Amino acid sequence: MVQWAGRAGMALIGLALAATTALAQTAPDTLGAIRARGQLVCGVSINAVGFALPDARGNFTGLDVDTCRAVAAAVLGDANKVRFVPTTSQVRFTALQSGEVDMLARNTTWTMGREVQLGLAFASVNFYDGQGFMVKQSLGVKSAKELDGATVCVQPGTTTELNLADYFRANRMRMTPVVIEQPEEIRQAFRSGRCDAYTNDASSLASFRAAEGREGEQYVLLPEIISKEPLGAVVRKGDWRWFDVVRWSHFAMVTAEELGITSKNIDSFMNSPNPDVQRLLGRSGEFGRAMGVDNEWAVRIIRQVGNFGESWERNITPMGVPRGINALWTQGGLQYAPPIR
């Protein structure tokens, strides 16, 4: 009996090793593909002020853009080695699933359905958001509870569309959705008065208002926030080393802000005796190599992109959006990085 059990155990071990080898052979190698290409391909929003906006020369800036650039700095050593692919809400997941892009950083809400049904994994949250409503001042509306019978502009295929229906149903109000896919078309419909209200993530509404300049002064964000919308970077499931790099690139920016390390003062921290600083900057430990990059991955992110607070000040503060719940946990917010150790 003992001999049989021993043989059975060896057989099981052999099967486990074979399965592990097979998985290793079939697992995707996104890091390898990016290095061979010499460029990260990142899916972003279309003309979203504060998040992803190209200038006249095609150079992108924004909070989501910085998320992509941080990953490029960690993997390729150069934050500029990114090709940005503007994607609509309708095609963004297909673009990621098919491998057209390596990651998404484009105002995409983390939901259970998207993780368990679409084969995707959310690596980080760079903006804790919620769905709101915008109206023209001339409408005289002060609250979303006054929108009974209104027409509301909304994009299809989004959590926004579902939340809108739930909110009106829960509050026993009627509304007529004006469903338009393209962002600029939906904004034009709102400008022209085709709909009474425009609903989207509050960050997107603020981005739209900021882009309107003086014309934006006629638009009012109503006080109600009707949903939780954690926005962040998304990758395909299965390549967990790549997932780690994307996740910890964000955490490196948050940790740097926690420690007071910026793109301008990082050199003064290189010989810091603080163990947390030493591990972040690769002066001790082998944390970078464990992810498949070198140990100075975070140094490059901080030098070339900055810490999370620097990115926020550069991209979001000019829109008039306060940090709020996006502040560090030490300041009452939700931005919190696990320890590097």
Side-chain angles (χ1 to χ4, degrees), residues 22-33:
L23 285 172
Q25 291 173 342
T26 58
D29 180 14
T30 308
L31 277 173

Side-chain angles (χ1 to χ4, degrees), residues 13 16 40 72 76 158 217 227 238-239 279 286:
I13 291 171
L40 169 69
L76 298 171
T158 63
E217 295 175 5
S227 69
D239 190 345
R279 288 189 289 264
E286 296 288 328

